[in-house]
Amino acid sequence: MSDVIETDYTTDPPTITERDFTPEELAQREADRIALEQAQADLIAKQEADRVAREAAIEHAKSLGFTDEMIAVMYPNLGAQA
Amino acid sequence: MAGSTPIYGFPYPESSDLVANYPALGQDLAEDIEGVIAAIPPGGLSMVNPTSIANSGGSASASGGQVTFTGVSSVSLNGVFTSAYENYRIVLRAFTASGSADTNMRLRASGTDNSANSYIRQYVIANAGTVSGANVTQTFLHVVFSDTISGFGDFELNRPSLAETTQYKSLGGRSDYVLINTGLHNVASAFDGFTLYPSASTITGNVRVYGYKNS
């Protein structure tokens, strides 16, 4: 099966042409795949870093005497359970 | 023999016409008027038909201004941006075959996508109670979040057919994500179409292009 199906509607009936990807299209698809993999890896790393930072912030606040309820009210985005 | 009006060619009877011809003449006139009225774009929007489309994987077809695609890894619409309109609205429905994916868009000219790292946008995303945003420059414009049961949005382009930067804004998402974009494609080139493609899986749905009347 061809990679690309082109349908020209300026003719009656429409003209259908099948072709393979051009070298440029193949290169772009590969570049997109690599970029997506990198973006997904970056996202996972950021989420892990955020989790570590969040837990450290909660522990530090507790070491200063703040309760879970206080932390949850003052810093709702930390996810401390009130 | 029936005469016809100079602009729209509406038929009218002349003194030489037989009375028996009047019913058919009346029908011709009524159908001509109906066709003209139907062609008047409502609300300043006019549907634009692509001169051609292209799809990779699956199938796609165009009819009555709507491009329908099934299981494609990309679908391109050509010849939709012309000097007839300065502003365009594109309404998109795209569901994935499996899992979640970003449905992205690239502008296109003469059958070739522009993948320059020049799609600048400020976006806002909302997922449940979490709102985030960022300013990014990428080789594509992310327009809709899609999954197997939802993925709908619309985006508007300003001056895509002119050799200027193309401004855009969009609103789209699915049942658990909202995506809002404003920005520009920072390439001063003219484009006549665009390509839609998912970041993963394939997409099924339809897309329509409308031009806003300039005056």
Side-chain angles (χ1 to χ4, degrees):
Chain A
M1 184 175 178
S2 301
D3 296 323
V4 180
I5 301 174
E6 298 176 334
T7 307
D8 182 350
Y9 288 94
T10 63
T11 62
D12 186 14
T15 303
I16 297 175
T17 305
E18 299 190 21
R19 62 171 178 84
D20 293 333
F21 285 131
T22 64
E24 292 77 15
E25 288 172 332
L26 285 171
Q28 185 61 59
R29 292 171 74 87
E30 179 62 12
D32 288 345
R33 184 190 67 77
I34 293 172
L36 177 62
E37 285 183 355
Q38 184 61 56
Q40 290 172 332
D42 291 347
L43 179 61
I44 291 172
K46 183 179 185 305
Q47 289 173 335
E48 177 60 17
D50 287 350
R51 183 191 66 78
V52 171
R54 192 161 48 245
E55 291 177 355
I58 291 173
E59 287 308 306
H60 181 68
K62 288 182 177 179
S63 73
L64 297 176
F66 291 103
T67 65
D68 286 332
E69 290 78 9
M70 290 175 176
I71 298 169
V73 170
M74 290 190 300
Y75 306 106
N77 289 336
L78 285 182
Q81 298 299 312
Chain B
M1 181 178 175
S4 61
T5 59
I7 298 176
Y8 289 101
F10 291 156
Y12 58 85
E14 293 186 319
S15 59
S16 58
D17 287 314
L18 298 175
V19 173
N21 293 338
Y22 278 34
L25 198 62
Q27 180 176 349
D28 287 345
L29 175 61
E31 289 174 350
D32 285 351
I33 293 174
E34 185 175 58
V36 170
I37 292 174
I40 297 174
L45 282 171
S46 179
M47 185 167 285
V48 178
N49 297 309
T51 55
S52 66
I53 64 172
N55 62 284
S56 176
S59 63
S61 63
S63 176
Q66 173 178 287
V67 175
T68 303
F69 47 91
T70 303
V72 301
S73 60
S74 72
V75 61
S76 302
L77 281 67
N78 304 310
V80 290
F81 303 140
T82 69
S83 58
Y85 306 104
E86 181 172 325
N87 300 298
Y88 291 84
R89 182 173 187 179
I90 300 164
V91 183
L92 167 66
R93 169 189 169 107
F95 295 2
T96 61
S98 63
S100 300
D102 300 340
T103 298
N104 301 319
M105 183 275 285
R106 283 181 170 135
L107 292 167
R108 184 175 175 88
S110 302
T112 300
D113 291 346
N114 186 289
S115 58
N117 191 35
S118 299
Y119 294 83
I120 305 171
R121 64 188 172 108
Q122 173 66 43
Y123 71 78
V124 175
I125 293 174
N127 168 230
T130 301
V131 180
S132 63
N135 185 266
V136 297
T137 300
Q138 296 171 310
T139 64
F140 56 87
L141 175 64
H142 176 197
V143 290
V144 170
F145 285 108
S146 298
D147 60 22
T148 58
I149 62 170
S150 62
F152 178 73
D154 67 273
F155 51 106
E156 298 186 346
L157 305 177
N158 169 255
R159 299 190 173 184
S161 67
L162 301 181
E164 302 178 6
T165 60
T166 299
Q167 309 291 316
Y168 44 62
K169 61 182 178 80
S170 71
L171 170 63
R174 61 185 203 220
S175 59
D176 56 350
Y177 272 93
V178 169
L179 170 65
I180 301 171
N181 289 313
T182 58
L184 77 156
H185 181 236
N186 199 17
V187 174
S189 295
F191 300 98
D192 61 22
F194 60 95
T195 293
L196 299 167
Y197 67 98
S199 60
S201 185
T202 60
I203 50 174
T204 292
N206 60 61
V207 60
R208 293 180 175 87
V209 180
Y210 302 89
Y212 286 98
K213 290 175 63 178
N214 290 339
S215 62

